[in-house]
Amino acid sequence: MPFSEQRKKELFEVLERTARRSPIAGLPAYPQEYQDYRKLCEEEVLTRTVDGYPYTLYMHRAKSRTENCPIHIYIHGGGFVYPHADCDSMFSSYLADRIGGIVVDLDYTTSGTAPWPVAFDQCYDAARYTFAQCADWGGDENRISAGGYSAGGTLVAGMALKAADTGDFRLCLQVLGYPLLDSVNSPVYKKGAYPRILPLDRELAFSELYFRGDTEAAASVYSSPCYAADEQLKKLPRTLILSAEGCNFRFENEEYAGRLASVGVEVTVKRFLDTCHGFIPHFGNHWRAAAELIARRIGSAKN
């Protein structure tokens, strides 16, 4: 059955109704300290087009960057539905300064405009573009990493798998912040489904908007990385996985870490207690400890 505009409207009504039950709902305005992080960088905005849809790259070049610096590709979350936000630029600028390098902050086409695989293809294109431009930007091709949070983490995990399959490029590190890694099983059948932290109808609406009922797309290992074969996982770069006590995805995140370790991938996994899904770029509880861990891993990672 074709995906109708009426169905899309109904799903957005579900998201609006459940927004107040989101873990990050009602956060206060970001303090001036966080807003000032943008002053740590020089920003440039670039636009590219993939699959007929434009997307935006926000280039955050740290004023403290060094020669042959690391470059980190940042992919925001939001259930594939919500676009780039101010906090993404603030966090990207903070991270660029901490690594003394460049953060390529990607604003992909969201699922209200286009379904899978547009956002994924744009993320992959952004990574290829970053590798192609690395020398001109003063970066080190052996120090290009990628990280994402929530839906962004899903996109990064899929991107790393595709790169490992194709050999198009080799990330030195992937950072996965509380990503959805299994889009096949209904949330109600996953470990820890009750009591719920993310509202069930909200999760289901995100998924339906992204895949539009395409079960084959949802089962792709690039959208459900937990189903990748061991032979695929063996080729992945070193990995940092960050989960949260207040996140429904914590179990699949940590099980994925175990699978990577079992096939010989270097993995660091940490569950942050007393915090929730979305805590890192939204400056929630323990965000700074997570950011410092990320910066250390980026700083030390090299192919």
Side-chain angles (χ1 to χ4, degrees):
M1 180 182 296
F3 190 84
S4 68
E5 288 300 313
Q6 177 59 33
R7 182 56 181 161
K8 185 192 297 187
K9 180 181 177 182
E10 291 169 356
L11 292 170
F12 271 101
E13 288 174 351
V14 169
L15 294 178
E16 183 177 358
R17 185 176 68 249
T18 59
R20 64 183 179 276
R21 291 189 282 147
S22 169
I24 59 172
L27 285 176
Y30 297 113
Q32 190 63 45
E33 175 193 0
Y34 299 167
Q35 297 180 43
D36 286 345
Y37 289 151
R38 299 184 71 166
K39 298 177 182 178
L40 299 170
C41 292
E42 299 162 345
E43 294 186 15
E44 180 184 1
V45 180
L46 304 174
T47 302
R48 292 177 60 79
T49 299
V50 170
D51 295 344
Y53 294 91
Y55 75 93
T56 303
L57 295 172
Y58 296 91
M59 307 292 299
H60 303 276
R61 295 182 173 91
K63 295 176 181 177
S64 63
R65 71 185 181 278
T66 56
E67 187 177 357
N68 295 320
C69 65
I71 300 176
H72 184 69
I73 302 163
Y74 170 96
I75 303 180
H76 71 81
F80 310 104
V81 171
Y82 297 113
H84 183 274
D86 284 345
C87 65
D88 296 307
S89 288
M90 296 175 205
F91 183 78
S92 293
S93 297
Y94 177 87
L95 192 57
D97 177 70
R98 297 300 294 163
I99 66 174
I102 300 169
V103 172
V104 181
D105 180 7
L106 174 62
D107 187 13
Y108 51 83
T109 297
T110 52
S111 60
T113 300
W116 163 272
V118 173
F120 177 75
D121 289 346
Q122 290 174 345
C123 292
Y124 200 78
D125 176 75
R128 295 185 68 174
Y129 179 71
T130 298
F131 273 84
Q133 298 299 312
C134 177
D136 288 343
W137 292 346
D140 183 343
E141 183 177 297
N142 292 309
R143 302 179 70 194
I144 299 177
S145 59
Y149 306 90
S150 190
T154 308
L155 290 164
V156 168
M159 183 175 73
L161 278 167
K162 182 175 179 179
D165 286 341
T166 63
D168 288 336
F169 53 85
R170 172 72 179 178
L171 297 168
C172 67
L173 170 75
Q174 63 170 340
V175 180
L176 309 180
Y178 35 82
L180 169 66
L181 297 172
D182 179 1
S183 293
V184 175
N185 283 320
S186 170
V188 299
Y189 299 121
K190 291 185 179 182
K191 186 176 180 180
Y194 300 98
R196 296 202 57 76
I197 296 164
L198 296 174
L200 174 61
D201 45 355
R202 188 172 181 81
E203 273 196 65
L204 293 173
F206 282 141
S207 181
E208 188 174 346
L209 279 165
Y210 190 43
F211 295 113
R212 311 284 175 94
D214 187 341
T215 55
E216 184 176 339
S220 165
V221 296
Y222 301 150
S223 53
S224 288
C226 70
Y227 294 103
D230 285 352
E231 288 304 311
Q232 291 175 291
L233 298 180
K234 285 180 181 178
K235 297 181 286 185
L236 288 174
R238 61 180 59 82
T239 301
L240 171 61
I241 296 179
L242 308 173
S243 68
E245 181 181 25
C247 177
N248 286 102
F249 305 146
R250 64 196 182 280
F251 299 110
E252 61 197 79
N253 294 171
E254 292 156 13
E255 288 168 2
Y256 191 63
R259 281 200 65 203
L260 293 179
S262 74
V263 297
V265 176
E266 179 186 323
V267 182
T268 301
V269 58
K270 180 170 182 177
R271 180 188 291 189
F272 286 84
L273 305 181
D274 188 31
T275 195
C276 65
H277 183 90
F279 77 99
I280 298 173
H282 291 280
F283 304 106
N285 202 20
H286 303 309
W287 80 266
R288 197 181 298 271
E292 291 303 300
L293 176 56
I294 294 166
R296 290 196 300 274
R297 287 295 181 269
I298 293 173
S300 63
K302 187 172 185 178
N303 285 332

